[in-house]
Amino acid sequence: MKKYLIVEHDPLFICQRLKEIDESYFVLYNLQSCQFEVHSNAQEGNSFCFAVRFDGLDARTLEKARETRKENIDALIAKMDEENDRLYKKQIEDAAWAMAEVIK
């Protein structure tokens, strides 16, 4: 069972600034994972949007909220595709180097 604390105020006013990006956003602190999470009342079924992957709420949280908004889905998918292509090419290159080392 997940346990959360509702975060309404923080020293850098990130909770309030998230509301400027999208009024439906709110922040919870997950007591099991010990991290902040951004949620949205506008989502059906599950309010979870993303987990804050650093120690606290700061400008990176706002950047992630802007980046992951529904309006930016095309750009986000393109970025993911580019990263996947880069990783795939690196894997092929690494495999080629490994085979070259075995052949030597």
Side-chain angles (χ1 to χ4, degrees):
M1 178 178 186
K2 289 187 178 181
K3 298 203 178 208
Y4 296 98
L5 294 176
I6 298 171
V7 181
E8 294 179 342
H9 303 287
D10 60 281
L12 299 175
F13 303 101
I14 300 300
C15 295
Q16 292 83 351
R17 292 164 66 190
L18 279 169
K19 295 262 186 216
E20 293 172 4
I21 296 170
D22 189 323
E23 186 63 34
S24 71
Y25 285 156
F26 61 97
V27 178
L28 297 178
Y29 186 77
N30 185 323
L31 295 171
Q32 286 182 316
S33 64
C34 297
Q35 35 180 209
F36 292 98
E37 297 177 357
V38 175
H39 291 253
S40 171
N41 287 327
Q43 292 185 172
E44 292 181 28
N46 187 344
S47 66
F48 180 82
C49 293
F50 63 90
V52 177
R53 301 284 181 205
F54 15 90
D55 292 338
L57 298 172
D58 59 24
R60 295 173 292 183
T61 307
L62 300 173
E63 289 172 19
K64 183 74 170 177
R66 286 186 195 99
E67 178 184 309
T68 58
R69 288 188 42 86
K70 185 167 65 172
E71 294 82 14
N72 300 328
I73 191 73
D74 292 334
L76 186 59
I77 290 172
K79 183 178 176 181
M80 289 169 47
D81 286 343
E82 288 172 13
E83 180 65 9
N84 287 339
D85 288 343
R86 186 190 67 76
L87 291 172
Y88 178 70
K89 288 175 184 174
K90 182 167 178 7
Q91 285 177 334
I92 290 173
E93 185 179 298
D94 291 348
W97 278 104
M99 287 192 302
E101 290 295 318
V102 170
I103 292 172
K104 285 185 183 181

